[in-house]
Amino acid sequence: MMFNAPETQKMNANVAPVSIPDPASVALPKTFQTVRTPDPEPRQVRVHAKDVSVFYGPKQALFDVSIDIPEKAVTAFIGPSGCGKSTFLRCLNRMNDTIEGARVSGTIQLDGEDLYDPKLDVVELRARIGMVFQKPNPFPKTIFENVAYGPRIHGLATSKTDLEQIVVESLQKASLFNEVKDRLHEVGTGLSGGQQQRLCIARAIAVSPEVILMDEPCSALDPIATAKIEELIDELRANYTIVIVTHSMQQAARVSQRTAFFHLGILVEEGPTEMMFTSPAEKRTQDYITGRFG
Amino acid sequence: MTVSAVSSPKSSAAASSPNRSRIQASLKRRRGAETRFRFYGIASVTIAIGFVLFLFGTILHDGVPAFWQPVVKVDVTFDPAVIKVEPKPVQQPDQSPAAFQRANLDWQRKVSLLNWNRIVENSVRAEAPDIQMTPRDIQAMISQNERYRLRNMFIENPDLLGKTVPVELLASANVDVWLKGDIDRSIASDRQQLPEAARTLADRFYEDGRIRMAFASVLFTNTDSRNAPAEAGLLGAFIGSLYMMIIVIVLAVPVGVASAIYLEEFAPKNRLTDLIEVNINNLAAVPSIVFGLLGAAVFINYFHLPLSAPLAGGLVLSLMTLPTVIIATRAALRAVPPSLRQAALGLGASRTQTVFHHVLPVTYPGILTATIIGVAQAIGETAPLLLIGMNAFVTSLPVSPLDQSTALPVQIFLWEGNENRNYFEPKTAAAIIILLTVMLALNAIAIVLRSRFERRA
Amino acid sequence: MNSLVVAALLLLLLAASYQIGLSRSRAVAGSSTLKMHSRPNYHGMMVALWCLVPALAILLVWFFVGDDVVRTYTLSLLPPEVVNGDATQLRDALRRVEQISTGYGVVGDAQPYENAAGQSLHEFRLLTFWATVAVAAGLGIIGLLVMRARIAPRLRARNEFEAVVKVLLAICSGIAILTTVGIIASLLREALHFFSFISPMDFFFGTVWAPRFSATAGGDYGQYGLLPLLWGTIMVSTIAMLVAIPLGLMSAIYLAEYAPRKVRAFAKPAIEILAGIPSIIYGFFALVTLGPALAALGGMIGVPIRATSALTAGIAMGIMIIPFVSSLSDDIITQVPGAMRDGSLGMGATKSETIRRVVLPAALPGIVGAFLLAVSKAFGETMIVVLAAGNAPILRFNPFEATSTVTVSIVNQLTGDTNFASPQSLVAFALGLTLFAMTLCLNVIALYVVRKYREQYE
């Protein structure tokens, strides 16, 4: 392996000039203005992002994204693959920190607190902004231990009964409890895909986050499991601020109140979901939702 | 609950939530645990790399001085008063080769019976006439076999009779130890390895330059020697190792690659091949000494291969290296994308053609690296060779893989056990440096070849 | 010279037969209206095979039985009183005849019968050699002609050739099995032989290891209790594991989870260098540097530590095994899916919490397998303990004292002595069998665990 790495890099360097130029690096849209349409009745803003750019090494993946994410609503990020929507989502709880060479500029605030303040502890931040991933990723532990993991590491439960209560409540909130109540001490990886994903949501809920980020939570699931998750998201909206990245425009239309359209690393347009899917202001949004490209 | 001092919360509403204050309260402890865990990791890596450096440091520190050894420059007179012998025989026309050889050997035996020690003694004595020296003192100073070198010079060139020529004679191991300070100079005279007069003489010669530190080429040109440790070299062991290496390359590599191809590309997937798979993986983890036992029982005791010969050693090492080659080749074959096979099969190539024309060439770099790692491992192996008698004391060069020989690591083992530790410790370290250099060179070759292969592919 | 002739003959046959097959195939193709099934080179290779295999078979037979035939013939040339006489005298006579037959001559006067025998032997040699060559060449040519006649458009020469290749490949993969069979058979055979001298009870449960040297006659072979050696092996391996497991595992964790790419690129190969160093070098290091240092350390803190002790050998062995543990663990840790880490980090777990509570439990089976393989390596390690453990096969529990192990005793009992009739050297096989059984169990369990683990994440 060690001999391989430089070789591959060299090959890439040789290949780069003949390949098609990376669109993101050509169309540097410094002056581009996101088209914004406010909600008819304004909501409280929880997360406020301003001029967020993300670089992976020398490559820029996101260009000056500014967006406000409202409370107790579902905000959907849509766009063709590689448009930067997941990248932006990961910025919101600093998961990009775990990627070597990733760099974030601009400001993101949660209730007015700068998320990238060096004094802020990322551990605390991620407890407040939970995340659900594309592929269900339960830990190779029992269902109970999966949900209890967060409360345990953060020291949220004061007693054993307290912990059990948190686990049961979280499973109930994730509409999973009835299906698994008899087998809480079986391995979580033995569940079906949809159940696993709901387990992951229960796991995220268990630390009572304020915001839940979902990165294409249904992309690995069948339609029935997807419907259940969508139903769950709709229920959760009452208590949490939810941001969901999705590949499916129908899903965005079904579950979200606001939609943001990303393309080539820029935020093209954002507005109320209904408006975005009926009368978008931008031609590119129009083209995307009508299936001209994607 | 006390409000923790960590990161002042700005939003009072959020801070009041009990979860947040609990998390904040735990942060300091968790960060501490994080730092400690990380520290253990760094410490482990540092210690491990420290061991590497320490090991190499020790060996270099011990071994590098042994690449130089003292030689004494003297004028040697081939004194006819001492060398009393008839002229060297020449082959007569009517003489059979056997008879001529006999005559020649007779002459050489006569030459050998001469007192060559006296020649050495006289030349050294002439260099320092003022010091009282017994013959024993001088013998202690000059390496034992140097007299044979003078004898051989004479056998080669009988015209030297009566002439005086400057010769650099190898100093004995004890002089080496004395001059390099590998022995405590303050211990009592009667417990020193070198007699008083020889010590004085060595010091004086060293100061006036008649003893100089010459490159210890004997390490590379001589075989092991018991009575003249200063002349002990590694050539025999090196050639033994070379034979074994060749045998391993010739046997283990083709057989290993062939079996990997069969198992990966042709064999039906059933219980038998499953068993073979487990068997090969297990074989790779069988202790090397067990292979030695196999060699002793089968190759030596049953097939009566010669004891201490590189042939038996090479066979044992080949069997030991075989699983390594098979496993690595299989991994390389498995890494070839199925699309390549499908492309070839889709064009109507047979399975054999697909494998040999398309799949196998892609895996050459992997096989090559594995081969060299396997071979390097094999030539560093000691234990199994001890069981098939390769720790025999051999002073002759092995001409064929059927001759008695030793191997580099075994030679290291033998020197390590030598009673003259003051002298043999640095020498062992020097042998280790040579062994490591050989292995390093092999790995360097692997890297070069590999990158060349990959560029072409 | 003879082998050169044979080699030249074989090469000639190879080239000629291949060429003949090739041109015959082309000729058939040219004259026939049917499309050839196989390309000409496959016909060529099949002809070459049909030609070489019989020729080689004959030569091989001669290689194995030739010497016996010549010897029998030579014996028949000698006068009966020499043949039935003294063994050394007979050997001498045979050598002299041999020398006369090669024209080298002998020292002293040759007996008339010697000259006659030498002359006959010379002729016999020449005759048999050329006869063999002729038979080999003849059979080869017959094979060649038969195969040449078979060449036809519908002949599936390629399939035939590929079948031969496949059989050859299969034979090669049989060698690995043969090796295992050979190991088990030879160990069992000689160990059973040993147990005919010493009862297995005394061997497996004896607490005293005191084999007499074979010189002592009178049926008293000494005592062969395995337990002191087994205990020494376990003690040294335990010390080695205490060194290697924490350091190796923590290094692997650091390199896999924490280290920046540049550090990893440097540190991983640097640690793996330790794995490439032959164990004899660790033995030297233990004997020359580590042992005296430990003894000095013991002197400082008032604990008597011998320079060659279980501790010295164990630590040196531990250092040797660090890279083994670390690279196996590294492989296994990096196989844990990244999604698992993200899941934990995304909830606000710190990195160390993620590693200890999610990654390591997930990797546990694999890591246990790696540890078992490391233990098996420690059991079988020989040179370090031979040099640094002090060779004292006594059942005692102080790691600061000299000890001995199973492997050390194998080396001691068998080195330089291949008298397979005495229990003194046969015991090495009983010890080897014990060692093989122990490591086999560990390996099979470890390999099974690791394999299951891999399948889980594939």
Side-chain angles (χ1 to χ4, degrees), chain C residues 136-306:
Chain C
L139 271 185
I141 287 165
I142 292 173
L144 189 159
L145 292 176
V146 169
M147 182 61 210
R148 183 178 178 278
R150 287 185 64 214
I151 292 177
R154 310 188 63 166
L155 180 75
R156 295 170 165 242
R158 198 197 68 220
N159 302 34
E160 284 180 5
F161 182 73
E162 286 177 355
V164 172
V165 168
K166 235 172 110 169
V167 167
L168 278 179
L169 293 179
I171 290 174
C172 284
S173 71
I175 290 182
I177 308 236
L178 219 60
T179 309
T180 306
V181 173
I183 287 175
I184 295 175
S186 59
L187 289 183
L188 268 181
R189 202 180 99 117
E190 308 295 342
L192 287 177
H193 195 173
F194 169 72
F195 289 134
S196 68
F197 292 99
I198 307 288
S199 98
M201 287 298 283
D202 291 349
F203 174 69
F204 286 113
F205 300 105
T207 54
V208 178
W209 177 265
R212 296 273 163 79
F213 286 107
S214 36
T216 2
D220 180 15
Y221 302 118
Q223 280 172 286
Y224 295 90
L226 172 69
L227 291 181
L229 307 178
L230 206 57
W231 171 247
T233 302
I234 291 171
M235 190 157 64
V236 173
S237 306
T238 309
I239 296 168
M241 288 299 119
L242 289 178
V243 173
I245 288 183
L247 287 175
L249 185 59
M250 282 312 290
S251 304
I253 289 174
Y254 180 76
L255 291 179
E257 302 281 339
Y258 283 103
R261 201 176 301 157
K262 275 184 188 158
V263 174
R264 185 179 157 89
F266 160 77
K268 208 169 138 61
I271 293 177
E272 275 166 9
I273 289 179
L274 282 174
I277 297 175
S279 65
I280 179 88
I281 296 178
Y282 287 97
F284 175 79
F285 174 71
L287 188 67
V288 171
T289 311
L290 189 64
L294 285 175
L297 184 77
M300 264 197 303
I301 58 171
V303 184
I305 302 179
R306 276 189 49 129

Side-chain angles (χ1 to χ4, degrees), chain A residues 58 63 83 138 147 152 164 196 220 225 232 248:
Chain A
F63 299 84
C83 67
V147 183
R152 271 195 215 274
E164 277 165 14
Q196 285 192 8
L232 174 60
S248 142

Side-chain angles (χ1 to χ4, degrees), chain B residues 29-31 33-35 37-38 40-49 51-52 54-56 58-59 62 96-99 101-102 254-263 266 272 274-283 285-294 296-298 300-302 307 319 322 326 348-353 356-357 376 379-383 386-389 391 409-410 412-413 416-417 421 424-426 428-429 432 435-436 439, chain C residues 39 42 103-107 158 162-163 165-166 168-170 172-180 182-184 186-187 189-190 243 246-248 250-255 258 260 263 266-268 270-271 273-274 276-285 287-290 315 319 322 348-353 355-356 360 373 376-377 379-383 386-387 407-408 410-411 414-416 418 420 428-429 431-433 435-436 439-440 443-444 447 451:
Chain B
R29 177 182 52 80
R30 291 165 67 189
R31 285 290 164 204
E34 173 74 19
T35 316
F37 192 73
R38 203 188 164 91
Y40 295 147
I42 295 179
S44 299
V45 174
T46 316
I47 291 174
I49 293 180
F51 277 138
V52 179
F54 187 53
L55 193 70
F56 280 107
T58 314
I59 287 166
D62 283 2
S96 79
Q101 199 177 27
R102 169 59 60 89
V255 171
V257 171
S259 26
I261 292 174
Y262 180 73
L263 292 174
F266 295 106
L272 181 70
D274 229 37
L275 188 76
I276 298 181
E277 165 118 35
V278 172
N279 166 49
I280 288 171
N281 283 331
N282 175 60
L283 213 51
V286 166
S288 60
I289 190 151
V290 172
F291 284 95
L293 287 171
L294 171 77
V298 175
I300 305 293
N301 194 37
Y302 189 75
L307 204 61
L319 290 183
L322 196 61
I326 298 180
S350 71
R351 241 196 125 68
T352 317
Q353 286 170 326
F356 284 94
H357 296 173
I379 64 164
E381 196 56 70
T382 319
L386 295 181
L387 300 192
I388 51 167
N391 57 340
V410 180
I412 290 171
F413 173 67
E416 221 159 297
R421 292 219 18 206
F424 270 97
E425 217 168 88
T428 311
I432 287 177
L435 176 63
L436 284 176
M439 296 179 67
Chain C
R39 311 246 325 128
Y42 285 105
Y104 184 78
V106 286
V107 178
R158 198 197 68 220
E162 286 177 355
V165 168
K166 235 172 110 169
L168 278 179
L169 293 179
C172 284
S173 71
I175 290 182
I177 308 236
L178 219 60
T179 309
T180 306
I183 287 175
I184 295 175
S186 59
L187 289 183
R189 202 180 99 117
E190 308 295 342
V243 173
L247 287 175
M250 282 312 290
S251 304
I253 289 174
Y254 180 76
L255 291 179
Y258 283 103
V263 174
F266 160 77
K268 208 169 138 61
I271 293 177
I273 289 179
L274 282 174
I277 297 175
S279 65
I280 179 88
I281 296 178
Y282 287 97
F284 175 79
F285 174 71
L287 188 67
V288 171
T289 311
L290 189 64
I315 291 178
I319 296 172
I322 289 174
T350 62
K351 226 165 174 178
S352 64
E353 284 163 353
I355 294 164
R356 276 181 297 161
L360 287 188
L373 283 179
S376 137
K377 200 174 162 70
F379 277 178
E381 175 47 46
T382 309
M383 293 324 291
V386 165
L387 286 164
T407 50
V408 170
I410 295 177
V411 170
L414 206 59
T415 296
T418 44
F420 278 67
F429 291 91
L431 292 171
L433 189 67
L435 181 66
F436 181 74
T439 54
L440 182 76
N443 295 343
V444 168
L447 292 168
R451 195 165 150 184

Side-chain angles (χ1 to χ4, degrees), chain B residues 85-86 88-90 95 97-113 151 155, chain C residues 104 107:
Chain B
V85 73
E86 74 240 39
K88 192 175 179 174
V90 220
Q95 208 174 14
F100 169 65
Q101 199 177 27
R102 169 59 60 89
N104 213 350
L105 284 175
D106 280 345
W107 181 76
Q108 286 188 14
R109 191 167 303 129
K110 276 180 205 144
V111 172
S112 297
L113 287 174
R151 178 197 72 195
I155 289 175
Chain C
Y104 184 78
V107 178

Side-chain angles (χ1 to χ4, degrees), chain A residues 5-232:
Chain A
E7 203 63 28
T8 335
Q9 277 168 12
K10 213 187 292 163
M11 295 231 312
N12 286 345
N14 290 339
V15 168
V18 290
S19 71
I20 300 158
D22 188 11
S25 60
V26 178
L28 270 181
K30 275 286 174 212
T31 56
F32 187 84
Q33 281 294 311
T34 306
V35 180
R36 298 170 200 281
T37 317
D39 277 334
E41 46 206 85
R43 295 172 217 253
Q44 173 88 37
V45 172
R46 275 321 278 279
V47 180
H48 169 76
K50 185 144 179 29
D51 296 336
V52 177
S53 297
V54 177
F55 302 83
Y56 292 125
K59 206 188 138 192
Q60 188 167 1
L62 216 54
F63 299 84
D64 298 323
V65 172
S66 302
I67 190 171
D68 285 340
I69 290 166
E71 192 183 31
K72 296 192 171 150
V74 178
T75 306
F77 293 172
I78 59 168
S81 47
C83 67
K85 53 191 193 298
S86 287
T87 302
F88 183 63
L89 189 80
R90 291 171 71 93
C91 290
L92 297 182
N93 74 343
R94 290 182 53 179
M95 280 303 279
N96 280 331
D97 291 12
T98 61
I99 298 170
E100 212 174 313
R103 194 158 50 80
V104 179
S105 69
T107 48
I108 304 177
Q109 291 174 332
L110 172 64
D111 296 334
E113 256 180 274
D114 185 1
L115 298 187
Y116 284 80
D117 183 346
K119 272 184 287 181
L120 181 125
D121 197 305
V122 66
V123 165
E124 189 199 344
L125 167 73
R126 288 180 189 152
R128 293 174 65 192
I129 306 185
M131 190 156 188
V132 176
F133 296 85
Q134 193 166 358
K135 248 178 82 182
N137 57 351
F139 303 136
K141 299 166 181 273
T142 63
I143 294 170
F144 183 89
E145 283 300 322
N146 259 288
V147 183
Y149 180 73
R152 271 195 215 274
I153 56 167
H154 292 304
L156 299 184
T158 47
S159 65
K160 215 182 153 203
T161 42
D162 204 6
L163 184 68
E164 277 165 14
Q165 197 188 338
I166 294 176
V167 169
V168 170
E169 271 174 24
S170 310
L171 285 170
Q172 277 166 345
K173 280 188 198 163
S175 351
L176 186 64
F177 185 68
N178 287 335
E179 294 165 49
V180 300
K181 63 184 170 205
D182 303 328
R183 39 176 177 154
L184 286 180
H185 296 286
E186 283 172 29
V187 188
T189 42
L191 296 174
S192 75
Q195 287 174 327
Q196 285 192 8
Q197 194 61 300
R198 275 181 284 148
L199 178 61
C200 292
I201 294 174
R203 192 173 68 187
I205 294 172
V207 293
S208 338
E210 295 155 43
V211 180
I212 301 177
L213 309 177
M214 298 187 174
D215 189 354
E216 306 198 24
C218 302
S219 65
L221 303 181
D222 61 74
I224 294 169
T226 303
K228 275 204 176 149
I229 302 268
E230 286 177 2
E231 210 174 293
L232 174 60

